[in-house]
Each structure stands twice: as structure tokens, then as C-alpha cells.
Amino acid sequence: MKIFFWNLKRKCLADLIQSALQQNDVDLAAFAEVNQTDYQKLIELFDGQYRPVETIDGNEKTKLLVKSSICSQHASAVIKNLTCTLMLDGVPVNTSIVHLPDKRNDPHGYRRERIIKELVIELNTTKGAYPGSFNMLLGDFNCNPFDPEMIIIDSLNSTFFKEVAQRLKVRDSYGLSYPVMYNPALEFLSESNSNQGSFYWGSGDCTYYWHSLDQIVVDWQLADCIIDCRYLRQIGDTKLIVNSKPCSKYSDHLPLLVTMEMGNCHGR
């Protein structure tokens, strides 16, 4: 199972996306900052191989294409972030495609935290009504994996360590239980394999230079399903990196490609 996400920075990149999806045999492709014309052209280019997942009112700011064989239901726009349930190799996964406020507009992460809480509530409500399903958030979180909004217990409650997630399963606080989620970003980030991050920002007195803004976070039961998680630096002959930064001709973000083996789902 191949999962793809790219913040397109409102660029018309349909041909390049087509190449990426075909070369990597992508099953699920999600996008942020998508120009509507570009999205429609992309659907047409695939000639029925992929179909869009859409909400009733069309109010979502994130977009999702899935292979025509993948079933989807319960599609809604939760604070404009597309949220639905997907059947991935027989495993029902409640999925939110996110694009959260950037740090220029939300430097302390308060808005991101509030939105994450709403998304998690929606996903958990669906999970409660759909026994045997699991949760996944994918997209541009506009923060790093170790920022507070990603790890606060009543926000995303994620950890970088799958053994910890699988041992704890839930964390309790003031009489409430919060499912533990797994964020694989740090397991796969490494300079040695040229997988440093998805976004470069070197300004300010305190910076990480490479930032891992584009991420996937899953319920602990899906932790073993993630077998690879990387940012694409090249699509075919097209290089997405220039002078050790994302090439602005295409986007200021690198695309995220995640490989999952759903047969590794805990308890199945």
C-alpha cells in the first residue's frame, strides 16, 4: 500500500504528479494548496484509474484521490480538512487529510492544537461507531513531530517509539483515556539516506533548517504497518532539490511517500 501527500503551493503540477503516482504505484494520493483546475486535470489524466473522494458541500481545502478499487465513506470537511473512512487492503482506516495553520499565523500552535483536537474527536467518534477501524492523519501539519501540539495528551498524543505506543495503548489523565498514536517521522529521518525533511527554513535566531512538516500519524495498531516513510527528492528525471533546498519552481515542500503493509496490523 503506497500513500502519497504533497503540498503543491498552488502550482499546476498535474503532469509531474501523474509521473510520481505511476512510478510509485500509489494507492492513495492527498494534496494541499491545490488549484482546482489542476486537480480536475489530474483526474482526467488518469482516465478512471483514480477517483476523487469528495464531501457533500465541497468545503474541504485538502484533496484526496484513491485508486478506483478503494472504497470510501463518511466523507466530511472537519474545519475544511477532508475526513473519511477508507478500506485499505481490508482494513477500515478513518483518515483526515490535514493542512494546519502555518507558524507565521499561529506561532505558538494554539490554532493547530485546537484543530487537531477537533479532528481527533471526529475520528474517534467514527471509530466508536465503526468497531475494528483505526485512525490516521496525513498531511501538512505545519509543525515538527516534536512540537507540543503533536504530543500533548489531549491533542494528538503521539510518540516516535512504536514499542512505547504498543505497550501503553492509551494514556489516562483526570479520569479520561486517550489512545496513543505513532509518528514514524524520526525513525526514517536521516542525513545518511538524504531524508532530512520536507521543508527548508533557515531564518531566525533559532531554526532547524530542515523541518519535517509533512507527516503521517497512525493509531498504535498500525505502527508495524509502516515499513518506509520518505520525502521524494526526484520524480523521474525532475529534481525537486536545488542547492540543498526544495526547488521553488515546483513547491516549497517535498512530497511524502509512505509504504504500508496492512497485513502487519495489530490483532489481524
Side-chain angles (χ1 to χ4, degrees), residues 63-95:
K63 300 291 185 179
L64 177 62
L65 290 178
V66 297
K67 279 190 174 177
S68 298
S69 58
I70 295 178
C71 296
S72 63
Q73 54 186 331
H74 312 308
S76 61
V78 182
I79 318 179
K80 297 188 177 181
N81 295 276
L82 192 151
T83 300
C84 63
T85 299
L86 302 171
M87 189 64 68
L88 304 181
D89 284 347
V91 179
V93 181
N94 310 311
T95 304

Side-chain angles (χ1 to χ4, degrees), residues 4-11 13 17 30-35 38 61-63 97-100 102 104 139-142 198-199 213-215 231 240 246-247 250-256:
F4 178 93
F5 173 80
W6 201 2
N7 181 325
L8 302 178
K9 199 183 178 184
R10 298 175 294 278
K11 298 291 185 69
L13 302 176
I17 294 168
F31 308 95
E33 296 195 25
V34 178
N35 175 283
D38 184 52
K61 65 178 179 180
T62 53
K63 300 291 185 179
I97 309 302
V98 308
H99 184 205
L100 303 184
D102 68 33
R104 290 170 296 183
D140 179 2
F141 289 81
N142 262 313
S198 64
F199 181 84
L213 304 187
D214 305 276
Q215 304 166 61
Y231 300 115
L240 305 180
C247 179
Y250 305 110
S251 174
D252 53 354
H253 289 248
L254 297 178
L256 171 67

Side-chain angles (χ1 to χ4, degrees), residues 141-187:
F141 289 81
N142 262 313
C143 59
N144 282 296
F146 35 80
D147 282 337
E149 53 268 45
M150 301 295 291
I151 59 178
I152 291 173
I153 188 171
D154 63 347
S155 181
L156 205 52
N157 194 26
S158 67
T159 176
F160 318 123
F161 311 105
K162 66 174 67 177
E163 290 184 2
V164 172
Q166 292 166 341
R167 174 174 55 83
L168 292 178
K169 300 179 177 59
V170 297
R171 292 179 62 200
D172 297 324
S173 177
Y174 297 102
L176 297 175
S177 295
Y178 301 91
V180 176
M181 302 196 78
Y182 171 62
N183 188 335
L186 296 191
E187 178 179 354

